[in-house]
Amino acid sequence: MSERDKVLGHADEADGIEEYDNPLPTWWLGLFAGTVAFGIGYAVDYHFVSKRSQAGEYAAELAAAPKAPEATAVAATPDAIAAGKEIYTANCVACHGPDLHGGVGPDLTDATWIHGGKLDEIAHIITVGVPEKGMLTWGPILGPQKVGQVAAYVHSAGGGQ
Amino acid sequence: MEAAPLSAPRYDDASVRRFITATVLWGIVGMLVGAILALQLAWAPANLGLPWTSFGRLRPLHTNAVIFAFTGNALFAGIYYSMQRLLKTRMWSDTLSSVHFWGWQAIIVLAAVTLPLGMTQGKEYAELIWPIDLLIAVVWLVFAANFFGTIAIRKVKHLYVALWFYMSMVITITVLHVVNNLALPATLTRSYPVYSGMTDALVQWWYGHNAVGFLLTTPILGLMYYFLPRAAQRPVFSYRLSIIHFWALVFLYIWAGPHHLLYSALPDWAQTVGMVFSLMLLAPSWGGMLNGLLTLRGAWDRLRTDPILKFWVAAITFYGMSTFEGPMMSIRAVNALSHFTDWTIAHVHAGALGWVGESVFAMLYYMAPQVWNRKLHSVSLATTHFWLATVGIVLYVVAMWTAGVTQGLMWRAFDEAGLLQYPNFVDTVRTLNPFYWIRLLGGLMYLGGIIVMAWNLYKTATSDSSNALEA
């Protein structure tokens, strides 16, 4: 017990608390040195060797992502309308109401079509949304096929032009 | 809750008793609001449809109450108690002690009124409006004057390690609070920060992270260095380690704030600084954990019977765990998954309920009998509190880890066409709901624990003189 567990003798100046002056645990020093070395190495590598960046990471992920399917012509078949109704019920009722009479969003059954009432105009506005009014950009969420189906449903049930 | 002071009247234990009482009362309020918020997240009707009781307004009330009211008063109680004994002198000025106590409670009351009314600066953990910020600055400087005045009139030469940690808090919090709240007042309740955009965000998180560092970490470590060896009756493991981990901790902490802004508009180099300094914080943090746990060598057998040591061991273990988790979460790739999810909530509560809360409870169970000069009313109730708190934290943290990772994975899940697999946010909310109920259960256990403590300490303080520690 030479180095170990020798008290410093400050206790009378620390409300009776004794202190040993034990050496730093080796593994602790190793951990400290290791994180410092890793930190420096990482920073040098990230910015100067591998030259990585947030913008680069985004570009790489985008390039690796599956390409969005080509937009297909919207066809108002009975199958598409039935599928569109389901999509409408899951995503649209909160704003446009269960019977398309509107609420937060505009009525889809009246004669007024703010952004146009043709089938492809309805599909377009669903795809890009109306962010300034709070309507989401549904294109990337639903994909072109489902957008086409829900547009077909809205067009037929709502009486589009 | 006034009783005869224990030892010589040279120590101001009346202030300590007041701060302890405030700690317990605000602790119950802050944690009750926390439980209400947990209920609101699991069951939306609990928002009551009123603006004043909605989640957005009560959440800052909860965070401010537990950080500044519960923890703040606890720090002041522990610091007033320990620094007088370490420096063998009464606090420098009884007037300043009194102004400090009542000023701090006034700030808390103002916060409890303004936050539900929706008056906010919109900065996390710095929500309070500018007139209250000014009051905080004044009261904090009153405390600082009293603190350094007491050091100046000390009767010993040596400054024990606990005092360095307290000093780092007093100095750093002053700088952080003033710099982050610099604003141009427009009306009595509204102001505009002098910084804009990304600069404002960076200053905010430099503040936010170091509020964690210098209010919830370094002063609690200081209190550990006093109250743990006192309770265990064992020498501190290593003076050398305490010096090195102290300086490493305070030097590294101040740079780590940008890890709150990974994958944001913050320049890449600043994000790297935040991540790398956070990683380097691991060993300095663990230095505190080691010095705490190794100080208990030779006292482990008392863990079976002494609830104070039980609380310390659990608190230090949660500290070690949180300070491992924090650096991991600051790694870019991990943060990409964890950021904005309930994982962050799990992390802060392991730190706040585990490290801060259980340290405070250990300290209160040690200090209250001393300042009221009464034996603790019930050791078994204190042990019950320990198990309620610890099991409560585990339920809370495990539920939020699971919820957080699930949430992060659902947000980034794509189908084979490259479209989001869970495009509707509500899909994740439905999946997480069961975990929110488990979190509420854990939180209620923790709240129950502090109510048990309040009763135990009340009975201790009000028992008759036949229960005195000394005749």
Side-chain angles (χ1 to χ4, degrees), chain B residues 29 50 154 157 171 241 248 337 431 434:
Chain B
V29 173
L50 301 169
R154 70 188 190 272
K157 188 160 172 294
I171 295 168
L241 180 60
L337 175 68
T431 309

Side-chain angles (χ1 to χ4, degrees), chain B residues 185-229:
Chain B
T187 67
L188 186 65
T189 58
R190 199 151 44 83
S191 62
Y192 295 94
V194 298
Y195 320 99
S196 59
M198 204 62 233
T199 314
D200 191 38
L202 187 56
V203 170
Q204 157 61 23
W205 285 112
W206 166 76
Y207 161 87
H209 183 69
N210 288 296
V212 176
F214 290 90
L215 205 71
L216 305 178
T217 305
T218 56
I220 308 271
L221 281 168
L223 295 169
M224 177 194 84
Y225 272 110
Y226 178 82
F227 287 97
L228 175 66

Side-chain angles (χ1 to χ4, degrees), chain B residues 166-457:
Chain B
Y166 302 164
M167 260 187 260
S168 73
M169 166 182 90
V170 177
I171 295 168
T172 315
I173 293 294
T174 310
V175 177
L176 292 167
H177 174 71
V178 171
V179 173
N180 190 43
N181 286 300
L182 286 178
L184 298 172
T187 67
L188 186 65
T189 58
R190 199 151 44 83
S191 62
Y192 295 94
V194 298
Y195 320 99
S196 59
M198 204 62 233
T199 314
D200 191 38
L202 187 56
V203 170
Q204 157 61 23
W205 285 112
W206 166 76
Y207 161 87
H209 183 69
N210 288 296
V212 176
F214 290 90
L215 205 71
L216 305 178
T217 305
T218 56
I220 308 271
L221 281 168
L223 295 169
M224 177 194 84
Y225 272 110
Y226 178 82
F227 287 97
L228 175 66
R230 290 286 307 174
Q233 302 278 306
R234 297 287 309 156
V236 171
F237 168 71
S238 174
Y239 175 67
R240 217 177 301 183
L241 180 60
S242 68
I243 294 177
I244 290 178
H245 99 90
F246 170 77
W247 284 108
L249 197 69
V250 298
F251 172 73
L252 294 171
Y253 231 116
I254 207 86
W255 301 93
H259 69 211
H260 288 262
L261 295 165
L262 296 180
Y263 292 110
S264 70
L266 190 70
D268 285 343
W269 66 267
Q271 296 187 27
T272 300
V273 168
M275 167 183 154
V276 162
F277 274 82
S278 306
L279 278 176
M280 292 191 288
L281 266 172
L282 174 59
S285 304
W286 274 14
M289 171 185 73
L290 281 181
N291 236 354
L293 291 180
L294 292 174
T295 296
L296 288 168
R297 289 177 310 159
W300 286 103
D301 56 309
R302 288 179 43 209
L303 217 60
R304 283 196 303 268
T305 50
D306 187 347
I308 295 175
L309 293 187
K310 280 191 173 75
F311 272 117
W312 274 123
V313 168
I316 295 168
T317 307
F318 277 111
Y319 179 62
M321 198 206 69
S322 306
T323 55
F324 174 76
E325 186 183 30
M328 293 309 115
M329 292 171 80
S330 76
I331 295 172
R332 278 186 167 98
V334 180
N335 198 265
L337 175 68
S338 75
H339 205 167
F340 302 120
T341 72
D342 287 323
W343 189 350
T344 306
I345 318 299
H347 174 62
V348 293
H349 283 85
L353 302 174
W355 163 240
V356 175
E358 297 209 295
S359 296
V360 167
F361 300 145
M363 184 178 84
L364 293 180
Y365 282 118
Y366 176 87
M367 207 163 45
Q370 302 294 324
V371 293
W372 270 284
N373 188 23
R374 295 288 182 271
K375 292 191 195 89
L376 185 64
H377 168 67
S378 165
V379 172
S380 67
L381 279 182
T383 306
T384 306
H385 176 198
F386 169 77
W387 287 113
L388 278 172
T390 304
V391 176
I393 300 167
V394 171
L395 281 176
Y396 188 115
V397 172
V398 171
M400 287 298 97
W401 272 334
T402 318
V405 175
T406 305
Q407 195 176 23
L409 291 174
M410 287 178 83
W411 287 347
R412 56 158 64 168
F414 292 96
D415 62 20
E416 61 283 359
L419 297 168
L420 284 172
Q421 204 170 333
Y422 306 99
N424 278 337
F425 191 77
V426 73
D427 289 342
T428 63
V429 176
R430 287 207 188 95
T431 309
L432 302 181
N433 193 263
F435 300 111
Y436 288 174
W437 285 108
I438 298 172
R439 181 246 303 266
L440 175 63
L441 177 66
L444 286 174
M445 289 179 71
Y446 200 84
L447 175 65
I450 192 175
I451 292 170
V452 169
M453 179 184 79
W455 168 254
N456 201 359
L457 295 185

